[in-house]
Amino acid sequence: MATATPAATSTVDLGPAAALSCRECGTRFPLGPSFACLECFGPLEIAYDYSDHGAAELRARIEAGPASIWRYAPLLPVPADVATKPNLNPGWTPLVEADRLGKELGFTARLHVKDDSGNPTHSFKDRVVACAIEAARAFDFTTLSCSSTGNLAGAVGAAAARAGLRSCVFIPHDLEHAKIVMAAVYGGDLVGIEGNYDDVNRFCSELIGDPAGEGWGFVNVNLRPYYGEGSKTLAFEICEQLGWRLPEQIVIPIASGSQLTKIDKGLRELIELGLVEDRPYRIFGAQATGCSPVAEAFKAGRDVIRPVKPDTIAKSLAIGNPADGPYVLDIARRTGGAVEDVTDAEVVEAIRLLARTEGIFAETAGGVTIGVLKKLVESGQLDPDKETVAINTGDGLKTLDAAAGAGLTAVIRPSLESFRAAGLV
């Protein structure tokens, strides 16, 4: 794994971010464009030095903030004036009370869907890119880049355009057409790689170590510690929208696994800061059967993730060697949760179930989440008597082919006779 020499911190303003800390050995490094520990090659994440606010003061400050992720700026690696800079202002998406879906699945407690399709580029990736771009500014990068399964490509293209930076994004060449169009429309360079996401990610890691990549910030590689922190805002919003309360169960889709691990980190930070009352919560991971190395390891009781070659319609989750997979296993086991998978046919069925019951058209990753939610209830692994949140990470308009079977109920002449003859009354 490539590493980069951390930069000095003296001129870097990233708010409460104090250092980079290794998740494996705990060694600390100065803030910089680095993602792997120089001692043990473990992944780095942000360590904070939070101001000594009381919980009540901090909560009031957050509630007075903008209706975006920047209301949580005191808890993120961003400068205090971040909301004044040109950016897409993602976040503060709806927490939908999914009563009709809950009834169909047998819930007696409240079921919610955190619908992140309402972000500027219609996926949760706007949250992580918004944090990464602040790090890119702090480290004077001139080009914003990433390896992507589609949603991140669009988020990077849009955020770079808004910030006035060049973007150059790398994707598998055979992604869904709608995601390619959405990534290309912002005017940056979009490069298709002959291979799957793991091949694209490997190429980007090589580019960082080459003079050709000098001055480039890869949001999910050399800026990964900052990028990942954006997912914590999902945890922050869910708890605030529940009235500053932890949910009892959360179902989260898994690609690299970073979103799940950072949501857990966000929940624990809220507890440590006294913003929510500490109580048990369970975290469940969701994968498509055609790319389910974490679910396979969980069910087999293994601690090691065995990489797979993806083969699923849920392309945004098609990462065969998920970097955070081992940490997902730890969290699922620590919280009493589980990791489950569903077939492509079950994904399509779940997309239609969510759309029919709640009017939310999810992309295939959302179908994976709802399909796994259903399977977990039916198998008794998830308790329908406990308040649950399921996360929809993107808009179904990006993956229309998955719902291709939906269409006209009937074709009639413009007459009442024809309407009645169609059997619609």
Side-chain angles (χ1 to χ4, degrees), residues 98-99 101-111 249 373-374 377 382-388:
D99 295 340
L101 175 63
K103 186 177 180 180
E104 288 224 10
L105 298 183
F107 273 81
T108 56
R110 282 187 173 177
L111 172 64
Q249 302 175 131
L373 169 70
K374 180 174 183 286
V377 173
L382 185 143
D383 189 348
D385 299 329
K386 292 186 175 180
E387 187 172 51
T388 302

mmCIF file of all heavy atoms in Angstrom, residues 98-99 101-111 249 373-374 377 382-388:
data_model
loop_
_atom_site.group_PDB
_atom_site.id
_atom_site.type_symbol
_atom_site.label_atom_id
_atom_site.label_comp_id
_atom_site.label_asym_id
_atom_site.label_seq_id
_atom_site.Cartn_x
_atom_site.Cartn_y
_atom_site.Cartn_z
ATOM 1 N N ALA A 98 -41.514 5.536 8.022
ATOM 2 C CA ALA A 98 -41.955 4.566 7.009
ATOM 3 C C ALA A 98 -42.994 3.629 7.615
ATOM 4 O O ALA A 98 -42.783 2.405 7.717
ATOM 5 C CB ALA A 98 -40.743 3.800 6.474
ATOM 6 N N ASP A 99 -44.154 4.181 7.951
ATOM 7 C CA ASP A 99 -45.187 3.385 8.633
ATOM 8 C C ASP A 99 -45.763 2.277 7.753
ATOM 9 O O ASP A 99 -46.011 1.164 8.208
ATOM 10 C CB ASP A 99 -46.319 4.305 9.110
ATOM 11 C CG ASP A 99 -45.845 5.281 10.174
ATOM 12 O OD1 ASP A 99 -44.809 4.997 10.794
ATOM 13 O OD2 ASP A 99 -46.515 6.316 10.378
ATOM 14 N N LEU A 101 -44.371 0.799 5.082
ATOM 15 C CA LEU A 101 -43.344 -0.234 4.896
ATOM 16 C C LEU A 101 -43.215 -1.074 6.169
ATOM 17 O O LEU A 101 -43.141 -2.300 6.112
ATOM 18 C CB LEU A 101 -42.000 0.412 4.548
ATOM 19 C CG LEU A 101 -40.810 -0.544 4.443
ATOM 20 C CD1 LEU A 101 -41.005 -1.543 3.304
ATOM 21 C CD2 LEU A 101 -39.496 0.242 4.252
ATOM 22 N N GLY A 102 -43.203 -0.380 7.314
ATOM 23 C CA GLY A 102 -43.083 -1.092 8.579
ATOM 24 C C GLY A 102 -44.223 -2.070 8.796
ATOM 25 O O GLY A 102 -44.018 -3.195 9.267
ATOM 26 N N LYS A 103 -45.428 -1.659 8.425
ATOM 27 C CA LYS A 103 -46.587 -2.545 8.593
ATOM 28 C C LYS A 103 -46.443 -3.795 7.725
ATOM 29 O O LYS A 103 -46.737 -4.905 8.166
ATOM 30 C CB LYS A 103 -47.863 -1.784 8.232
ATOM 31 C CG LYS A 103 -49.141 -2.555 8.506
ATOM 32 C CD LYS A 103 -50.370 -1.701 8.201
ATOM 33 C CE LYS A 103 -51.650 -2.497 8.483
ATOM 34 N NZ LYS A 103 -52.854 -1.675 8.176
ATOM 35 N N GLU A 104 -45.972 -3.597 6.489
ATOM 36 C CA GLU A 104 -45.805 -4.764 5.600
ATOM 37 C C GLU A 104 -44.745 -5.726 6.115
ATOM 38 O O GLU A 104 -44.819 -6.938 5.896
ATOM 39 C CB GLU A 104 -45.449 -4.304 4.191
ATOM 40 C CG GLU A 104 -46.601 -3.667 3.449
ATOM 41 C CD GLU A 104 -46.711 -4.153 2.006
ATOM 42 O OE1 GLU A 104 -46.009 -5.122 1.632
ATOM 43 O OE2 GLU A 104 -47.503 -3.543 1.265
ATOM 44 N N LEU A 105 -43.733 -5.177 6.795
ATOM 45 C CA LEU A 105 -42.644 -6.023 7.278
ATOM 46 C C LEU A 105 -42.894 -6.546 8.692
ATOM 47 O O LEU A 105 -42.065 -7.277 9.232
ATOM 48 C CB LEU A 105 -41.319 -5.240 7.239
ATOM 49 C CG LEU A 105 -40.856 -4.771 5.853
ATOM 50 C CD1 LEU A 105 -39.492 -4.080 5.956
ATOM 51 C CD2 LEU A 105 -40.777 -5.937 4.876
ATOM 52 N N GLY A 106 -44.002 -6.134 9.303
ATOM 53 C CA GLY A 106 -44.337 -6.648 10.625
ATOM 54 C C GLY A 106 -43.759 -5.866 11.778
ATOM 55 O O GLY A 106 -43.642 -6.398 12.895
ATOM 56 N N PHE A 107 -43.424 -4.610 11.564
ATOM 57 C CA PHE A 107 -42.886 -3.787 12.656
ATOM 58 C C PHE A 107 -44.008 -3.340 13.599
ATOM 59 O O PHE A 107 -45.090 -2.945 13.156
ATOM 60 C CB PHE A 107 -42.184 -2.549 12.095
ATOM 61 C CG PHE A 107 -40.738 -2.780 11.750
ATOM 62 C CD1 PHE A 107 -40.400 -3.384 10.551
ATOM 63 C CD2 PHE A 107 -39.730 -2.425 12.631
ATOM 64 C CE1 PHE A 107 -39.067 -3.623 10.232
ATOM 65 C CE2 PHE A 107 -38.405 -2.648 12.317
ATOM 66 C CZ PHE A 107 -38.068 -3.255 11.118
ATOM 67 N N THR A 108 -43.730 -3.394 14.881
ATOM 68 C CA THR A 108 -44.613 -2.787 15.872
ATOM 69 C C THR A 108 -44.013 -1.479 16.379
ATOM 70 O O THR A 108 -44.736 -0.606 16.860
ATOM 71 C CB THR A 108 -44.844 -3.734 17.061
ATOM 72 O OG1 THR A 108 -43.569 -4.089 17.623
ATOM 73 C CG2 THR A 108 -45.573 -4.994 16.628
ATOM 74 N N ALA A 109 -42.681 -1.375 16.284
ATOM 75 C CA ALA A 109 -42.003 -0.121 16.635
ATOM 76 C C ALA A 109 -41.853 0.737 15.377
ATOM 77 O O ALA A 109 -42.136 0.290 14.260
ATOM 78 C CB ALA A 109 -40.629 -0.414 17.241
ATOM 79 N N ARG A 110 -41.396 1.962 15.554
ATOM 80 C CA ARG A 110 -41.240 2.868 14.407
ATOM 81 C C ARG A 110 -40.091 2.417 13.500
ATOM 82 O O ARG A 110 -39.020 2.043 13.971
ATOM 83 C CB ARG A 110 -40.972 4.293 14.896
ATOM 84 C CG ARG A 110 -42.228 5.006 15.372
ATOM 85 C CD ARG A 110 -41.946 6.452 15.692
ATOM 86 N NE ARG A 110 -43.182 7.173 15.986
ATOM 87 C CZ ARG A 110 -43.214 8.447 16.359
ATOM 88 N NH1 ARG A 110 -42.089 9.136 16.465
ATOM 89 N NH2 ARG A 110 -44.362 9.038 16.611
ATOM 90 N N LEU A 111 -40.359 2.501 12.196
ATOM 91 C CA LEU A 111 -39.333 2.263 11.184
ATOM 92 C C LEU A 111 -39.140 3.561 10.410
ATOM 93 O O LEU A 111 -40.117 4.198 10.008
ATOM 94 C CB LEU A 111 -39.779 1.147 10.227
ATOM 95 C CG LEU A 111 -38.876 0.911 8.998
ATOM 96 C CD1 LEU A 111 -37.486 0.439 9.412
ATOM 97 C CD2 LEU A 111 -39.528 -0.107 8.051
ATOM 98 N N GLN A 249 -31.715 0.319 16.258
ATOM 99 C CA GLN A 249 -31.147 -0.538 15.200
ATOM 100 C C GLN A 249 -30.970 0.301 13.927
ATOM 101 O O GLN A 249 -31.828 1.135 13.613
ATOM 102 C CB GLN A 249 -32.079 -1.725 14.908
ATOM 103 C CG GLN A 249 -32.357 -2.591 16.131
ATOM 104 C CD GLN A 249 -33.372 -3.701 15.878
ATOM 105 O OE1 GLN A 249 -33.119 -4.834 16.217
ATOM 106 N NE2 GLN A 249 -34.514 -3.382 15.286
ATOM 107 N N LEU A 373 -33.085 -5.628 5.129
ATOM 108 C CA LEU A 373 -33.973 -5.333 6.269
ATOM 109 C C LEU A 373 -35.092 -6.377 6.342
ATOM 110 O O LEU A 373 -35.375 -6.944 7.414
ATOM 111 C CB LEU A 373 -34.557 -3.926 6.105
ATOM 112 C CG LEU A 373 -35.696 -3.546 7.058
ATOM 113 C CD1 LEU A 373 -35.177 -3.384 8.478
ATOM 114 C CD2 LEU A 373 -36.363 -2.236 6.591
ATOM 115 N N LYS A 374 -35.745 -6.631 5.218
ATOM 116 C CA LYS A 374 -36.834 -7.611 5.159
ATOM 117 C C LYS A 374 -36.334 -9.000 5.564
ATOM 118 O O LYS A 374 -36.974 -9.697 6.370
ATOM 119 C CB LYS A 374 -37.407 -7.629 3.738
ATOM 120 C CG LYS A 374 -38.560 -8.591 3.494
ATOM 121 C CD LYS A 374 -39.097 -8.371 2.070
ATOM 122 C CE LYS A 374 -40.311 -9.265 1.776
ATOM 123 N NZ LYS A 374 -39.925 -10.658 1.567
ATOM 124 N N VAL A 377 -35.630 -9.307 9.337
ATOM 125 C CA VAL A 377 -36.853 -9.447 10.144
ATOM 126 C C VAL A 377 -37.393 -10.868 10.025
ATOM 127 O O VAL A 377 -37.729 -11.511 11.032
ATOM 128 C CB VAL A 377 -37.918 -8.422 9.697
ATOM 129 C CG1 VAL A 377 -39.248 -8.689 10.409
ATOM 130 C CG2 VAL A 377 -37.454 -7.004 9.989
ATOM 131 N N LEU A 382 -33.234 -9.296 13.268
ATOM 132 C CA LEU A 382 -33.540 -7.899 13.604
ATOM 133 C C LEU A 382 -34.907 -7.856 14.271
ATOM 134 O O LEU A 382 -35.847 -8.516 13.809
ATOM 135 C CB LEU A 382 -33.510 -7.039 12.341
ATOM 136 C CG LEU A 382 -33.683 -5.530 12.533
ATOM 137 C CD1 LEU A 382 -32.799 -4.764 11.542
ATOM 138 C CD2 LEU A 382 -35.138 -5.112 12.321
ATOM 139 N N ASP A 383 -35.014 -7.122 15.367
ATOM 140 C CA ASP A 383 -36.223 -7.101 16.197
ATOM 141 C C ASP A 383 -37.201 -6.028 15.696
ATOM 142 O O ASP A 383 -36.906 -4.831 15.806
ATOM 143 C CB ASP A 383 -35.823 -6.814 17.652
ATOM 144 C CG ASP A 383 -36.997 -6.986 18.610
ATOM 145 O OD1 ASP A 383 -38.148 -7.096 18.140
ATOM 146 O OD2 ASP A 383 -36.741 -6.999 19.821
ATOM 147 N N PRO A 384 -38.367 -6.424 15.170
ATOM 148 C CA PRO A 384 -39.330 -5.429 14.674
ATOM 149 C C PRO A 384 -40.025 -4.656 15.795
ATOM 150 O O PRO A 384 -40.801 -3.750 15.517
ATOM 151 C CB PRO A 384 -40.332 -6.290 13.889
ATOM 152 C CG PRO A 384 -40.268 -7.630 14.535
ATOM 153 C CD PRO A 384 -38.844 -7.807 14.971
ATOM 154 N N ASP A 385 -39.736 -5.009 17.025
ATOM 155 C CA ASP A 385 -40.312 -4.284 18.160
ATOM 156 C C ASP A 385 -39.377 -3.168 18.640
ATOM 157 O O ASP A 385 -39.641 -2.557 19.688
ATOM 158 C CB ASP A 385 -40.599 -5.248 19.319
ATOM 159 C CG ASP A 385 -41.600 -6.331 18.929
ATOM 160 O OD1 ASP A 385 -42.468 -6.047 18.077
ATOM 161 O OD2 ASP A 385 -41.503 -7.441 19.450
ATOM 162 N N LYS A 386 -38.279 -2.935 17.915
ATOM 163 C CA LYS A 386 -37.341 -1.873 18.290
ATOM 164 C C LYS A 386 -37.235 -0.851 17.161
ATOM 165 O O LYS A 386 -37.278 -1.220 15.977
ATOM 166 C CB LYS A 386 -35.959 -2.470 18.602
ATOM 167 C CG LYS A 386 -35.956 -3.317 19.868
ATOM 168 C CD LYS A 386 -34.561 -3.772 20.228
ATOM 169 C CE LYS A 386 -34.575 -4.520 21.562
ATOM 170 N NZ LYS A 386 -33.232 -4.999 21.959
ATOM 171 N N GLU A 387 -37.086 0.406 17.550
ATOM 172 C CA GLU A 387 -37.010 1.494 16.565
ATOM 173 C C GLU A 387 -35.803 1.299 15.651
ATOM 174 O O GLU A 387 -34.676 1.097 16.126
ATOM 175 C CB GLU A 387 -36.903 2.841 17.271
ATOM 176 C CG GLU A 387 -36.980 4.027 16.322
ATOM 177 C CD GLU A 387 -37.064 5.338 17.082
ATOM 178 O OE1 GLU A 387 -36.218 5.557 17.977
ATOM 179 O OE2 GLU A 387 -37.975 6.135 16.790
ATOM 180 N N THR A 388 -36.071 1.373 14.346
ATOM 181 C CA THR A 388 -35.050 1.023 13.351
ATOM 182 C C THR A 388 -34.943 2.108 12.285
ATOM 183 O O THR A 388 -35.946 2.707 11.898
ATOM 184 C CB THR A 388 -35.401 -0.322 12.687
ATOM 185 O OG1 THR A 388 -35.501 -1.329 13.702
ATOM 186 C CG2 THR A 388 -34.369 -0.732 11.660
#
